[in-house]
Amino acid sequence: MKHLTAKTKELVLNSTLEEKISYLRKQKWIPYPQADKIMAKLEDLKNYPTVDRMPNLLIVGETNNGKTALINKFYKKNNPYIREGEYDIVVAPVIVVQAPAEPDEKSFYNKILEMLNAPVIKSENPDFKLRRIISLFKKLEIKLIIIDEIHHVLAGSPLKQRVFLNVLKYLSNELKISIICVGIRDAFNVIQSDSQLANRFETMILERWKNNQSFLQLLINYEALLPLENPSYLTENSIASKILAMSDGLIGEINTILIKAGELALKSGLNKIDHKILDNIDYVSPEDRKKILRRNIL
């Protein structure tokens, strides 16, 4: 079982079928070049010295292509901690908040307060909420605020969009922190709609996967974590091409395919993923799902 990590090999040798399936379904982080580059950029921004015009970042990628997994991984590396001293101080270098379904500043402030475990007072004036947020950010020494699903801003009227974007500018200016916005390609339009913000945001894109060396390395790394006794040789050209075609090049779909295939391989006793296993999993590709939806609508 040279194809497995030591931990996965031990699991294969000593676990029941149910335990293997449970392990298979657990979320895994598998490094890859695009993600490593963005993670390094986030770390750089977290450690950026305080200047009048802080640099910001826009992370763009299609749905189910690893954006949220990436920022959650970064957040876990930068969880709040206690700085010990004469007085123990809680430090939270990074916070992650999801943009509200509509660009409403009060809802946005409430989400931030919830993430900071601070009281949310429904009747409180937005200006007072903002003052509390600024005070908490300074007290907790927050360096980065990551706003996921920033494309939600487009759901509001032009006026609401402008108000929300002004809030982002104010937070960045007042607190001297970097803001990270994350979303689908529409997120680019959100930032570009404000010339001042557009000049402050660098854009990094999570592209769809292609059949190249990075993709093959991803499959090697993933196979090492699959609790399958026999090697699947996922990098063999026909297998790799099949997985890529089924997934439409989206890493979330690749993950789903390999979990479903791994389960079927375990339950069938084959203990490896081959063409037959891939042909028999309960899976519909994103493109086929769109076709089914269009047919049903029509």
Side-chain angles (χ1 to χ4, degrees):
M1 289 186 279
K2 294 180 180 178
H3 60 293
L4 301 177
T5 66
K7 181 181 178 181
T8 309
K9 181 179 178 181
E10 183 181 351
L11 181 86
V12 169
L13 293 173
N14 300 310
S15 301
T16 64
L17 174 62
E18 290 74 21
E19 288 170 336
K20 291 174 186 176
I21 290 174
S22 177
Y23 172 78
L24 183 64
R25 291 176 175 178
K26 287 180 180 177
Q27 186 167 339
K28 303 170 183 63
W29 174 257
I30 300 173
Y32 55 96
Q34 275 187 306
D36 290 344
K37 187 176 180 181
I38 294 174
M39 292 279 275
K41 181 65 177 179
L42 291 173
E43 193 67 31
D44 179 60
L45 290 176
K46 187 194 76 173
N47 297 320
Y48 206 89
T50 301
V51 294
D52 288 338
R53 189 183 174 101
M54 295 296 290
N56 301 313
L57 179 66
L58 172 63
I59 302 172
V60 175
E62 297 186 55
T63 299
N64 210 12
N65 204 27
K67 301 183 301 300
T68 299
L70 189 153
I71 59 175
N72 285 342
K73 176 68 175 178
F74 180 75
Y75 177 71
K76 286 178 183 177
K77 285 179 62 180
N78 293 279
N79 272 338
Y81 64 93
I82 296 175
R83 182 193 295 144
E84 297 181 353
E86 183 179 355
Y87 301 101
D88 290 347
I89 299 172
V90 176
V91 178
V94 177
I95 70 160
V96 179
V97 62
Q98 186 171 322
E102 274 194 48
D104 176 75
E105 68 175 311
K106 190 172 181 179
S107 298
F108 182 53
Y109 295 155
N110 287 345
K111 283 181 174 289
I112 293 175
L113 290 168
E114 287 170 2
M115 286 301 300
L116 298 175
N117 293 317
V120 176
I121 305 167
K122 291 183 178 180
S123 60
E124 188 177 27
N125 184 286
D127 287 340
F128 287 114
K129 290 181 188 290
L130 180 57
R131 287 179 198 171
R132 281 206 290 140
I133 287 169
I134 289 171
S135 175
L136 286 166
F137 269 52
K138 291 178 178 178
K139 182 178 179 181
L140 294 169
E141 300 180 26
I142 292 171
K143 299 292 185 182
L144 288 182
I145 176 170
I146 301 175
I147 306 169
D148 198 9
E149 310 285 2
I150 191 63
H151 49 271
H152 284 175
V153 173
L154 293 173
S157 66
L159 176 59
K160 282 192 172 184
Q161 290 181 35
R162 284 197 301 273
V163 170
F164 189 87
L165 295 177
N166 284 336
V167 167
L168 297 188
K169 283 186 286 188
Y170 183 82
L171 285 175
S172 182
N173 291 336
E174 180 68 21
L175 294 166
K176 300 293 188 291
I177 62 171
S178 292
I179 295 177
I180 316 301
C181 290
V182 184
I184 59 175
R185 290 187 182 271
D186 288 345
F188 183 77
N189 298 329
V190 172
I191 301 303
Q192 289 298 312
S193 68
D194 186 296
S195 58
Q196 289 183 350
L197 277 179
N199 290 331
R200 297 186 188 191
F201 275 83
E202 177 184 349
T203 301
M204 299 185 77
I205 300 174
L206 279 168
E207 300 281 2
R208 287 188 185 228
W209 288 83
K210 298 175 183 176
N211 199 347
N212 53 24
Q213 190 56 46
S214 293
F215 177 60
L216 297 179
Q217 188 60 54
L218 177 77
L219 293 180
I220 290 171
N221 293 343
Y222 207 117
E223 183 170 352
L225 300 177
L226 294 172
L228 300 175
E229 184 176 346
N230 302 318
S232 299
Y233 302 110
L234 297 180
T235 57
E236 191 274 319
N237 187 54
S238 62
I239 292 283
S241 297
K242 189 180 188 74
I243 292 170
L244 187 64
M246 291 172 69
S247 68
D248 285 354
L250 300 170
I251 195 168
E253 299 292 334
I254 294 168
N255 180 63
T256 298
I257 289 166
L258 292 178
I259 289 175
K260 288 179 176 287
E263 283 193 39
L264 185 56
L266 285 169
K267 291 176 180 177
S268 69
L270 186 63
N271 270 293
K272 70 174 184 178
I273 296 170
D274 60 11
H275 282 281
K276 187 176 180 181
I277 290 289
L278 290 171
D279 286 337
N280 284 280
I281 61 173
D282 180 21
Y283 176 79
V284 180
S285 73
E287 190 57 38
D288 286 340
R289 292 200 291 267
K290 290 176 185 175
K291 290 177 182 177
I292 292 169
L293 182 61
R294 283 196 291 266
R295 282 201 302 268
N296 289 336
I297 291 173
L298 295 173

